[in-house]
Coordinates of all heavy atoms in Angstrom, one line a residue:
M1 N -73.1 64.0 7.5 CA -71.8 63.9 8.2 C -71.9 64.7 9.5 O -72.3 65.8 9.5 CB -70.8 64.4 7.2 CG -69.4 64.2 7.7 SD -68.0 64.8 6.6 CE -68.6 64.5 5.0
N2 N -71.5 64.0 10.5 CA -71.5 64.7 11.8 C -70.1 65.4 12.0 O -69.2 64.8 12.4 CB -71.8 63.7 12.9 CG -72.0 64.4 14.3 OD1 -71.6 65.5 14.5 ND2 -72.6 63.7 15.2
T3 N -70.1 66.7 11.8 CA -68.8 67.4 11.8 C -68.3 67.5 13.2 O -67.1 67.6 13.4 CB -69.1 68.8 11.2 OG1 -69.8 68.7 10.0 CG2 -67.7 69.5 11.0
D4 N -69.2 67.5 14.2 CA -68.7 67.6 15.6 C -67.7 66.4 16.0 O -66.7 66.7 16.6 CB -69.9 67.5 16.6 CG -70.7 68.8 16.5 OD1 -70.2 69.8 16.0 OD2 -71.8 68.8 17.0
I5 N -68.1 65.2 15.5 CA -67.2 64.1 15.8 C -65.9 64.2 15.0 O -64.8 64.0 15.6 CB -67.9 62.8 15.4 CG1 -69.1 62.5 16.3 CG2 -66.9 61.6 15.5 CD1 -69.9 61.3 15.9
L6 N -66.0 64.7 13.8 CA -64.8 64.9 13.0 C -63.9 66.0 13.6 O -62.6 65.8 13.7 CB -65.1 65.3 11.5 CG -64.0 65.5 10.6 CD1 -63.1 64.3 10.5 CD2 -64.5 65.8 9.2
I7 N -64.4 67.0 14.1 CA -63.6 68.1 14.7 C -63.0 67.5 16.0 O -61.8 67.8 16.2 CB -64.5 69.3 15.1 CG1 -65.0 70.0 13.8 CG2 -63.8 70.2 16.1 CD1 -66.0 71.1 14.0
K8 N -63.7 66.7 16.8 CA -63.1 66.1 18.0 C -61.9 65.2 17.6 O -60.9 65.2 18.3 CB -64.1 65.4 18.8 CG -65.1 66.3 19.5 CD -66.1 65.5 20.2 CE -67.1 66.5 20.8 NZ -68.3 65.9 21.4
I9 N -62.1 64.4 16.5 CA -61.0 63.6 16.1 C -59.8 64.4 15.7 O -58.6 64.1 16.1 CB -61.4 62.6 15.0 CG1 -62.5 61.6 15.5 CG2 -60.3 61.9 14.4 CD1 -63.1 60.7 14.5
V10 N -60.0 65.4 14.9 CA -58.9 66.3 14.4 C -58.2 66.9 15.6 O -57.0 66.9 15.7 CB -59.4 67.4 13.5 CG1 -58.3 68.4 13.2 CG2 -59.9 66.8 12.2
E11 N -59.0 67.4 16.6 CA -58.4 68.1 17.8 C -57.6 67.1 18.6 O -56.5 67.4 19.0 CB -59.5 68.7 18.6 CG -60.0 70.0 18.0 CD -61.2 70.5 18.7 OE1 -61.8 69.8 19.6 OE2 -61.6 71.7 18.5
S12 N -58.1 65.9 18.8 CA -57.4 64.9 19.6 C -56.1 64.4 18.9 O -55.1 64.2 19.5 CB -58.3 63.7 19.9 OG -58.5 62.9 18.8
Q13 N -56.2 64.3 17.6 CA -55.0 63.9 16.8 C -53.9 65.0 16.7 O -52.7 64.7 16.7 CB -55.3 63.4 15.4 CG -56.1 62.1 15.4 CD -55.4 61.0 16.2 OE1 -54.3 60.7 15.9 NE2 -56.1 60.4 17.2
L14 N -54.4 66.3 16.7 CA -53.4 67.4 16.8 C -52.6 67.4 18.1 O -51.5 67.8 18.1 CB -54.1 68.7 16.6 CG -54.6 69.1 15.2 CD1 -55.4 70.3 15.2 CD2 -53.4 69.3 14.3
Q15 N -53.2 66.9 19.1 CA -52.6 66.9 20.4 C -51.7 65.7 20.6 O -50.9 65.6 21.5 CB -53.6 66.9 21.6 CG -54.5 68.1 21.6 CD -55.6 68.0 22.6 OE1 -55.7 67.1 23.4 NE2 -56.5 69.0 22.5
E16 N -51.8 64.7 19.7 CA -50.9 63.5 19.7 C -49.5 63.9 19.4 O -49.2 64.3 18.2 CB -51.5 62.5 18.7 CG -50.7 61.2 18.7 CD -50.6 60.5 20.0 OE1 -51.7 60.3 20.7 OE2 -49.5 60.2 20.4
T17 N -48.6 63.8 20.3 CA -47.2 64.2 20.1 C -46.2 63.1 20.1 O -45.0 63.3 20.1 CB -46.8 65.2 21.2 OG1 -47.0 64.6 22.5 CG2 -47.6 66.5 21.1
S18 N -46.7 61.8 20.0 CA -45.8 60.7 19.9 C -45.0 60.6 18.6 O -44.0 60.1 18.6 CB -46.6 59.4 20.1 OG -47.5 59.2 19.1
N19 N -45.6 61.2 17.6 CA -44.9 61.3 16.3 C -44.8 62.7 15.8 O -45.6 63.2 15.0 CB -45.6 60.4 15.2 CG -44.9 60.4 13.9 OD1 -43.8 60.9 13.8 ND2 -45.5 59.8 12.9
M20 N -43.9 63.5 16.4 CA -43.7 64.9 16.1 C -43.4 65.2 14.7 O -43.7 66.3 14.2 CB -42.7 65.5 17.0 CG -43.1 65.6 18.5 SD -44.5 66.7 18.8 CE -43.7 68.3 18.7
R21 N -42.8 64.3 14.0 CA -42.4 64.5 12.6 C -43.4 64.1 11.6 O -43.2 64.0 10.4 CB -41.0 63.8 12.3 CG -39.9 64.3 13.2 CD -38.6 64.3 12.5 NE -37.5 64.7 13.3 CZ -37.1 66.0 13.5 NH1 -37.8 66.9 13.0 NH2 -36.1 66.3 14.3
E22 N -44.6 63.8 12.1 CA -45.7 63.3 11.2 C -46.0 64.5 10.2 O -46.1 65.6 10.6 CB -46.9 63.0 12.0 CG -48.1 62.6 11.2 CD -49.3 62.2 12.1 OE1 -49.5 62.9 13.2 OE2 -50.0 61.3 11.8
K23 N -46.1 64.1 9.0 CA -46.4 65.1 7.9 C -47.9 65.2 7.7 O -48.7 64.4 8.1 CB -45.8 64.6 6.6 CG -44.3 64.4 6.6 CD -43.6 65.7 6.9 CE -42.1 65.6 7.0 NZ -41.5 66.6 7.7
T24 N -48.3 66.4 7.2 CA -49.7 66.7 7.0 C -50.5 65.6 6.3 O -51.6 65.2 6.7 CB -49.9 68.1 6.4 OG1 -49.3 69.0 7.2 CG2 -51.4 68.4 6.2
P25 N -50.0 65.1 5.1 CA -50.8 64.1 4.4 C -51.0 62.8 5.3 O -52.1 62.2 5.2 CB -49.9 63.7 3.2 CG -49.1 65.0 3.0 CD -48.8 65.5 4.3
E26 N -50.0 62.4 6.0 CA -50.2 61.3 6.9 C -51.3 61.6 8.0 O -52.1 60.7 8.3 CB -48.9 61.0 7.6 CG -47.7 60.6 6.7 CD -46.4 60.6 7.4 OE1 -46.3 61.0 8.6 OE2 -45.4 60.2 6.8
F27 N -51.2 62.8 8.5 CA -52.2 63.2 9.5 C -53.6 63.1 9.0 O -54.5 62.6 9.6 CB -51.9 64.6 10.0 CG -52.9 65.2 11.0 CD1 -52.8 64.9 12.3 CD2 -53.9 66.0 10.5 CE1 -53.7 65.4 13.2 CE2 -54.8 66.5 11.4 CZ -54.7 66.2 12.7
I28 N -53.8 63.7 7.8 CA -55.1 63.7 7.1 C -55.6 62.3 6.9 O -56.7 62.0 7.2 CB -55.1 64.5 5.8 CG1 -54.7 66.0 6.0 CG2 -56.4 64.4 5.0 CD1 -55.6 66.8 6.9
R29 N -54.7 61.4 6.4 CA -55.1 60.0 6.1 C -55.6 59.3 7.4 O -56.5 58.6 7.4 CB -54.0 59.2 5.5 CG -53.9 59.3 4.0 CD -53.0 58.3 3.3 NE -51.6 58.4 3.8 CZ -50.7 59.2 3.3 NH1 -51.0 60.0 2.3 NH2 -49.5 59.2 3.9
K30 N -54.8 59.6 8.5 CA -55.1 58.9 9.8 C -56.5 59.4 10.3 O -57.3 58.6 10.7 CB -54.0 59.3 10.8 CG -54.3 58.7 12.2 CD -53.1 58.8 13.1 CE -52.7 60.3 13.3 NZ -51.7 60.5 14.3
V31 N -56.8 60.7 10.2 CA -58.0 61.3 10.7 C -59.2 60.7 9.8 O -60.2 60.3 10.3 CB -58.0 62.8 10.7 CG1 -59.4 63.4 10.9 CG2 -57.0 63.3 11.7
V32 N -59.0 60.7 8.5 CA -60.0 60.2 7.6 C -60.3 58.7 7.9 O -61.5 58.3 8.0 CB -59.6 60.3 6.1 CG1 -60.5 59.5 5.2 CG2 -59.6 61.8 5.7
H33 N -59.3 58.0 8.2 CA -59.5 56.5 8.6 C -60.3 56.4 9.9 O -61.2 55.6 9.9 CB -58.1 55.9 8.7 CG -58.2 54.5 9.1 ND1 -58.6 53.4 8.3 CD2 -57.9 53.9 10.3 CE1 -58.6 52.3 8.9 NE2 -58.1 52.5 10.2
L34 N -59.9 57.2 10.9 CA -60.5 57.1 12.2 C -62.0 57.5 12.1 O -62.9 56.9 12.6 CB -59.8 58.0 13.2 CG -58.5 57.5 13.6 CD1 -57.8 58.6 14.5 CD2 -58.6 56.2 14.4
Y35 N -62.3 58.6 11.3 CA -63.7 59.0 11.2 C -64.5 58.0 10.3 O -65.7 57.8 10.7 CB -63.7 60.4 10.5 CG -65.1 61.0 10.5 CD1 -65.7 61.3 11.7 CD2 -65.7 61.3 9.3 CE1 -67.0 61.9 11.6 CE2 -67.0 61.8 9.3 CZ -67.6 62.1 10.4 OH -68.9 62.6 10.4
T36 N -63.9 57.5 9.3 CA -64.6 56.5 8.5 C -65.0 55.3 9.3 O -66.1 54.8 9.2 CB -63.7 56.0 7.3 OG1 -63.4 57.2 6.5 CG2 -64.5 55.1 6.4
L37 N -64.1 54.9 10.2 CA -64.4 53.7 11.1 C -65.6 54.1 12.0 O -66.5 53.3 12.3 CB -63.2 53.4 12.0 CG -62.1 52.7 11.2 CD1 -60.9 52.5 12.2 CD2 -62.5 51.4 10.7
Q38 N -65.6 55.4 12.5 CA -66.7 55.8 13.4 C -68.0 55.8 12.6 O -69.1 55.3 13.1 CB -66.5 57.3 13.8 CG -65.5 57.4 15.0 CD -66.1 56.9 16.3 OE1 -67.3 56.8 16.4 NE2 -65.3 56.6 17.2
L39 N -68.0 56.2 11.3 CA -69.2 56.2 10.5 C -69.7 54.8 10.3 O -70.9 54.5 10.3 CB -69.0 56.9 9.2 CG -68.9 58.4 9.1 CD1 -68.6 58.9 7.7 CD2 -70.1 59.0 9.7
M40 N -68.8 53.9 10.1 CA -69.1 52.5 9.8 C -69.7 51.8 11.0 O -70.5 50.9 10.9 CB -68.0 51.7 9.2 CG -67.6 52.2 7.8 SD -66.1 51.5 7.2 CE -66.9 50.1 6.4
K41 N -69.3 52.3 12.2 CA -69.9 51.8 13.5 C -71.3 52.2 13.6 O -72.2 51.5 14.1 CB -69.1 52.2 14.7 CG -67.8 51.5 14.9 CD -67.1 52.1 16.1 CE -65.7 51.5 16.3 NZ -65.0 52.1 17.5
L42 N -71.6 53.4 13.1 CA -72.9 54.0 13.3 C -73.9 53.5 12.2 O -75.1 53.5 12.4 CB -72.9 55.5 13.2 CG -72.1 56.2 14.3 CD1 -71.9 57.7 14.0 CD2 -72.7 56.0 15.6
G43 N -73.4 53.0 11.1 CA -74.2 52.6 10.0 C -73.4 52.0 8.8 O -72.1 52.0 8.9
N44 N -74.0 51.6 7.8 CA -73.4 51.0 6.7 C -73.2 52.0 5.6 O -74.1 52.7 5.2 CB -74.2 49.8 6.2 CG -73.5 49.0 5.1 OD1 -72.3 49.1 5.0 ND2 -74.2 48.2 4.4
I45 N -72.0 52.0 5.0 CA -71.7 52.9 3.9 C -71.6 52.0 2.6 O -70.8 51.1 2.6 CB -70.3 53.6 4.0 CG1 -70.3 54.5 5.3 CG2 -70.1 54.5 2.8 CD1 -68.9 55.1 5.6
P46 N -72.6 52.1 1.7 CA -72.5 51.3 0.5 C -71.2 51.4 -0.2 O -70.7 52.5 -0.4 CB -73.7 51.8 -0.3 CG -74.6 52.5 0.6 CD -73.7 53.1 1.7
L47 N -70.7 50.3 -0.7 CA -69.4 50.3 -1.4 C -69.4 51.2 -2.6 O -68.4 51.8 -2.9 CB -69.0 48.9 -1.8 CG -68.5 48.0 -0.7 CD1 -68.2 46.6 -1.2 CD2 -67.3 48.6 0.0
D48 N -70.5 51.4 -3.3 CA -70.6 52.2 -4.5 C -70.4 53.7 -4.1 O -69.9 54.5 -5.0 CB -72.0 52.1 -5.1 CG -72.3 50.8 -5.7 OD1 -71.3 50.0 -5.9 OD2 -73.5 50.4 -5.9
F49 N -70.6 54.1 -2.9 CA -70.4 55.4 -2.4 C -69.2 55.7 -1.6 O -68.9 56.8 -1.2 CB -71.7 55.9 -1.7 CG -72.9 55.9 -2.5 CD1 -73.9 54.9 -2.3 CD2 -73.1 56.8 -3.5 CE1 -75.0 54.9 -3.1 CE2 -74.2 56.8 -4.3 CZ -75.2 55.8 -4.1
M50 N -68.4 54.6 -1.3 CA -67.3 54.7 -0.4 C -66.3 55.8 -0.8 O -65.8 56.6 0.0 CB -66.6 53.3 -0.2 CG -65.5 53.3 0.8 SD -66.1 53.7 2.5 CE -66.7 52.1 3.0
E51 N -65.9 55.8 -2.1 CA -64.9 56.7 -2.6 C -65.4 58.2 -2.4 O -64.7 59.0 -2.0 CB -64.6 56.5 -4.1 CG -63.6 55.4 -4.3 CD -63.2 55.2 -5.7 OE1 -63.0 56.3 -6.4 OE2 -63.1 54.1 -6.2
D52 N -66.7 58.4 -2.7 CA -67.3 59.7 -2.6 C -67.3 60.2 -1.1 O -67.0 61.3 -0.8 CB -68.7 59.8 -3.1 CG -68.7 59.6 -4.6 OD1 -67.7 59.9 -5.3 OD2 -69.8 59.1 -5.1
V53 N -67.6 59.3 -0.2 CA -67.7 59.6 1.2 C -66.3 59.9 1.7 O -66.1 60.9 2.4 CB -68.3 58.4 2.0 CG1 -68.1 58.6 3.5 CG2 -69.8 58.2 1.7
I54 N -65.3 59.1 1.3 CA -63.9 59.3 1.8 C -63.4 60.6 1.2 O -62.8 61.4 1.9 CB -63.0 58.1 1.4 CG1 -63.4 56.9 2.3 CG2 -61.6 58.5 1.5 CD1 -62.7 55.6 1.9
S55 N -63.8 60.9 0.0 CA -63.3 62.2 -0.6 C -63.9 63.4 0.1 O -63.3 64.4 0.4 CB -63.8 62.2 -2.1 OG -63.3 63.3 -2.7
D56 N -65.2 63.3 0.5 CA -65.9 64.4 1.2 C -65.3 64.5 2.6 O -65.0 65.6 3.1 CB -67.4 64.1 1.4 CG -68.2 64.3 0.1 OD1 -67.6 64.9 -0.9 OD2 -69.3 63.9 0.1
I57 N -65.0 63.4 3.3 CA -64.4 63.4 4.6 C -63.0 64.1 4.5 O -62.6 64.9 5.4 CB -64.3 62.0 5.2 CG1 -65.7 61.5 5.5 CG2 -63.5 62.1 6.5 CD1 -65.7 60.0 5.9
E58 N -62.2 63.7 3.5 CA -60.9 64.3 3.3 C -60.9 65.8 3.1 O -60.2 66.5 3.8 CB -60.2 63.6 2.2 CG -58.8 63.9 2.0 CD -58.1 63.1 1.0 OE1 -58.0 61.9 1.1 OE2 -57.6 63.7 0.0
A59 N -61.9 66.3 2.3 CA -62.0 67.7 2.1 C -62.4 68.4 3.4 O -61.8 69.5 3.7 CB -63.0 67.9 1.0
E60 N -63.3 67.9 4.1 CA -63.7 68.5 5.4 C -62.6 68.5 6.4 O -62.4 69.4 7.1 CB -64.9 67.7 5.9 CG -65.6 68.4 7.1 CD -66.4 69.6 6.7 OE1 -66.9 69.6 5.5 OE2 -66.6 70.4 7.5
T61 N -61.8 67.4 6.4 CA -60.7 67.3 7.3 C -59.6 68.3 7.0 O -59.1 69.0 7.9 CB -60.1 65.8 7.3 OG1 -61.1 64.9 7.6 CG2 -58.9 65.7 8.3
V62 N -59.3 68.5 5.8 CA -58.3 69.5 5.3 C -58.8 70.9 5.8 O -58.0 71.6 6.3 CB -58.1 69.4 3.8 CG1 -57.3 70.6 3.3 CG2 -57.3 68.1 3.5
E63 N -60.0 71.2 5.6 CA -60.6 72.5 5.9 C -60.4 72.7 7.5 O -60.0 73.8 7.9 CB -62.0 72.6 5.5 CG -62.6 74.0 5.8 CD -64.0 74.1 5.3 OE1 -64.4 73.4 4.4 OE2 -64.8 74.9 5.9
I64 N -60.8 71.7 8.2 CA -60.7 71.8 9.7 C -59.3 72.0 10.1 O -58.9 72.8 11.0 CB -61.4 70.6 10.4 CG1 -62.9 70.6 10.1 CG2 -61.1 70.6 11.9 CD1 -63.6 69.3 10.5
Y65 N -58.4 71.1 9.5 CA -57.0 71.2 9.8 C -56.4 72.6 9.6 O -55.7 73.1 10.4 CB -56.3 70.1 9.0 CG -54.8 70.2 9.1 CD1 -54.0 69.7 10.1 CD2 -54.0 70.8 8.1 CE1 -52.7 69.8 10.2 CE2 -52.7 71.0 8.1 CZ -52.0 70.4 9.2 OH -50.6 70.6 9.2
R66 N -56.7 73.1 8.4 CA -56.2 74.5 8.1 C -56.7 75.5 9.1 O -55.9 76.4 9.4 CB -56.6 74.8 6.7 CG -55.8 74.0 5.6 CD -56.3 74.4 4.2 NE -55.5 73.7 3.2 CZ -55.9 73.5 2.0 NH1 -57.0 74.0 1.6 NH2 -55.1 72.8 1.2
K67 N -57.9 75.4 9.5 CA -58.4 76.4 10.4 C -57.8 76.3 11.8 O -57.4 77.3 12.5 CB -59.9 76.3 10.6 CG -60.7 76.8 9.3 CD -62.2 76.6 9.5 CE -62.9 77.1 8.2 NZ -64.3 76.8 8.3
K68 N -57.5 75.0 12.2 CA -56.9 74.8 13.6 C -55.5 75.1 13.6 O -55.0 75.6 14.6 CB -57.1 73.3 14.0 CG -58.5 72.9 14.2 CD -59.1 73.4 15.4 CE -60.5 73.0 15.7 NZ -61.1 73.6 16.9
T69 N -54.8 75.0 12.5 CA -53.3 75.2 12.5 C -52.9 76.5 11.8 O -51.8 76.7 11.5 CB -52.6 74.0 11.8 OG1 -53.0 73.9 10.5 CG2 -52.8 72.7 12.6
Y70 N -53.9 77.4 11.6 CA -53.6 78.6 10.9 C -52.5 79.4 11.6 O -52.5 79.5 12.8 CB -54.9 79.5 10.9 CG -54.7 80.8 10.1 CD1 -54.8 80.8 8.7 CD2 -54.4 82.0 10.8 CE1 -54.6 82.0 8.0 CE2 -54.2 83.1 10.1 CZ -54.3 83.1 8.7 OH -54.1 84.3 8.0
G71 N -51.5 79.9 10.8 CA -50.4 80.6 11.3 C -49.2 79.8 11.5 O -48.1 80.3 11.8
F72 N -49.3 78.5 11.3 CA -48.1 77.6 11.5 C -47.8 77.0 10.1 O -48.7 76.6 9.4 CB -48.4 76.5 12.5 CG -48.6 77.0 13.9 CD1 -49.9 77.3 14.3 CD2 -47.6 77.3 14.7 CE1 -50.1 77.8 15.6 CE2 -47.8 77.9 16.0 CZ -49.1 78.1 16.4
L73 N -46.5 76.9 9.8 CA -46.1 76.3 8.5 C -46.2 74.8 8.4 O -46.5 74.3 7.3 CB -44.7 76.8 8.2 CG -44.5 78.3 8.0 CD1 -43.0 78.6 7.7 CD2 -45.3 78.8 6.8
T74 N -46.0 74.2 9.5 CA -46.1 72.7 9.5 C -46.8 72.2 10.7 O -47.0 72.9 11.7 CB -44.6 72.1 9.5 OG1 -44.0 72.4 10.8 CG2 -43.8 72.6 8.4
L75 N -47.2 70.9 10.6 CA -47.8 70.3 11.8 C -46.9 70.2 12.9 O -47.3 70.4 14.1 CB -48.3 68.9 11.3 CG -48.9 68.0 12.4 CD1 -50.2 68.6 13.0 CD2 -49.3 66.6 11.7
E76 N -45.6 69.9 12.6 CA -44.6 69.8 13.7 C -44.5 71.1 14.4 O -44.4 71.2 15.7 CB -43.3 69.4 13.1 CG -42.2 69.2 14.1 CD -40.8 68.8 13.6 OE1 -40.8 68.5 12.4 OE2 -39.9 68.7 14.3
E77 N -44.4 72.2 13.7 CA -44.3 73.6 14.3 C -45.5 73.8 15.2 O -45.4 74.3 16.3 CB -44.2 74.6 13.2 CG -44.1 76.0 13.7 CD -44.1 77.1 12.6 OE1 -43.5 76.8 11.5 OE2 -44.6 78.1 12.8
Y78 N -46.7 73.5 14.7 CA -47.9 73.7 15.5 C -47.8 72.9 16.8 O -48.1 73.4 17.9 CB -49.2 73.2 14.7 CG -50.4 73.2 15.5 CD1 -51.2 74.3 15.7 CD2 -50.9 72.0 16.1 CE1 -52.4 74.3 16.4 CE2 -52.0 72.0 16.9 CZ -52.8 73.2 17.0 OH -53.9 73.1 17.8
R79 N -47.5 71.6 16.7 CA -47.4 70.8 17.9 C -46.3 71.3 18.9 O -46.5 71.3 20.1 CB -47.1 69.3 17.5 CG -48.4 68.7 16.9 CD -48.1 67.3 16.5 NE -49.3 66.6 16.1 CZ -49.3 65.5 15.4 NH1 -48.2 64.9 15.0 NH2 -50.4 64.9 15.1
R80 N -45.2 71.7 18.4 CA -44.1 72.2 19.3 C -44.6 73.4 20.0 O -44.3 73.6 21.2 CB -42.8 72.4 18.5 CG -42.1 71.2 18.0 CD -40.7 71.4 17.6 NE -40.1 70.3 16.9 CZ -39.7 69.2 17.6 NH1 -39.8 69.1 18.9 NH2 -39.2 68.2 16.9
H81 N -45.2 74.3 19.3 CA -45.7 75.5 19.9 C -46.8 75.2 21.0 O -46.7 75.8 22.1 CB -46.3 76.5 18.8 CG -46.9 77.7 19.4 ND1 -46.2 78.8 19.8 CD2 -48.2 78.0 19.6 CE1 -47.0 79.7 20.3 NE2 -48.2 79.3 20.2
K82 N -47.7 74.4 20.7 CA -48.8 74.1 21.6 C -48.2 73.3 22.8 O -48.6 73.5 23.9 CB -49.9 73.3 20.9 CG -50.7 74.1 19.9 CD -51.4 75.2 20.6 CE -52.2 76.0 19.5 NZ -52.9 77.1 20.1
F83 N -47.3 72.4 22.5 CA -46.7 71.6 23.6 C -45.9 72.4 24.5 O -46.0 72.3 25.7 CB -45.9 70.4 23.0 CG -45.4 69.4 24.0 CD1 -46.4 68.6 24.6 CD2 -44.1 69.3 24.3 CE1 -45.9 67.6 25.5 CE2 -43.7 68.3 25.2 CZ -44.6 67.5 25.8
R84 N -45.2 73.3 24.0 CA -44.3 74.3 24.8 C -45.2 75.1 25.7 O -45.0 75.4 26.8 CB -43.4 75.1 23.9 CG -42.5 76.0 24.7 CD -41.5 76.8 23.8 NE -42.3 77.6 22.9 CZ -42.1 77.6 21.6 NH1 -41.3 76.7 21.0 NH2 -42.8 78.4 20.8
Q85 N -46.4 75.6 25.1 CA -47.3 76.5 25.9 C -47.8 75.7 27.1 O -48.0 76.2 28.2 CB -48.5 76.9 25.0 CG -48.1 78.1 24.2 CD -49.4 78.6 23.4 OE1 -50.4 77.9 23.3 NE2 -49.3 79.8 22.9
K86 N -48.2 74.4 26.9 CA -48.7 73.6 28.0 C -47.7 73.4 29.1 O -48.0 73.4 30.2 CB -49.2 72.2 27.5 CG -50.4 72.3 26.6 CD -50.8 71.0 26.2 CE -52.1 71.1 25.3 NZ -52.5 69.8 24.7
D87 N -46.4 73.3 28.7 CA -45.3 73.1 29.7 C -45.1 74.4 30.5 O -44.8 74.3 31.7 CB -44.0 72.7 29.0 CG -44.0 71.3 28.6 OD1 -44.9 70.6 29.0 OD2 -43.1 70.9 27.8
D88 N -45.3 75.6 29.8 CA -45.0 76.9 30.5 C -46.1 77.2 31.5 O -45.9 77.9 32.4 CB -45.0 78.0 29.5 CG -43.7 77.9 28.6 OD1 -42.8 77.1 29.0 OD2 -43.7 78.5 27.5
N89 N -47.3 76.7 31.4 CA -48.4 77.0 32.3 C -48.4 76.3 33.6 O -48.0 75.3 33.8 CB -49.8 76.7 31.6 CG -50.0 77.7 30.4 OD1 -49.5 78.8 30.4 ND2 -50.8 77.3 29.5

């Protein structure tokens, strides 16, 4: 698993402010979907292993998400804080 690509996807999706009320589970599902599509472009994932791969990606995504949003109670709070900081600069 190429974690660099997954981290970039998480970071880009964290910056996505078109749906400020997006909940964490929705966010995780979206990132897992995007990363799975990337993996499938690079190679074939055998159907027998698809559930295991998705489960691993989800666990990794949750870990990255928690590290990136540490100190914020919700995804919305994180985005509002980061968005406000960008406006102030």
Side-chain angles (χ1 to χ4, degrees):
M1 189 177 325
N2 188 340
T3 313
D4 291 343
I5 295 172
L6 182 55
I7 290 171
K8 287 177 185 174
I9 292 172
V10 170
E11 288 173 344
S12 71
Q13 292 304 307
L14 283 172
Q15 294 173 13
E16 179 59 50
T17 56
S18 62
N19 183 7
M20 289 295 284
R21 299 214 184 274
E22 181 177 34
K23 302 295 180 204
T24 301
E26 297 166 358
F27 176 84
I28 299 298
R29 274 193 301 275
K30 181 172 58 173
V31 170
V32 169
H33 177 74
L34 291 170
Y35 186 65
T36 303
L37 289 175
Q38 282 287 342
L39 286 180
M40 293 175 89
K41 284 181 187 176
L42 298 173
N44 188 17
I45 302 172
L47 286 177
D48 294 344
F49 298 106
M50 186 62 83
E51 279 186 41
D52 293 334
V53 169
I54 290 175
S55 185
D56 287 349
I57 295 169
E58 189 173 298
E60 191 73 25
T61 302
V62 168
E63 184 178 333
I64 294 167
Y65 170 80
R66 287 180 178 158
K67 288 177 181 177
K68 294 286 181 184
T69 61
Y70 183 80
F72 297 94
L73 295 175
T74 64
L75 177 58
E76 182 178 356
E77 181 183 324
Y78 172 84
R79 285 177 170 164
R80 288 195 189 284
H81 176 77
K82 293 296 182 182
F83 190 67
R84 185 176 59 238
Q85 279 187 341
K86 288 180 183 175
D87 286 349
D88 291 345
N89 291 334

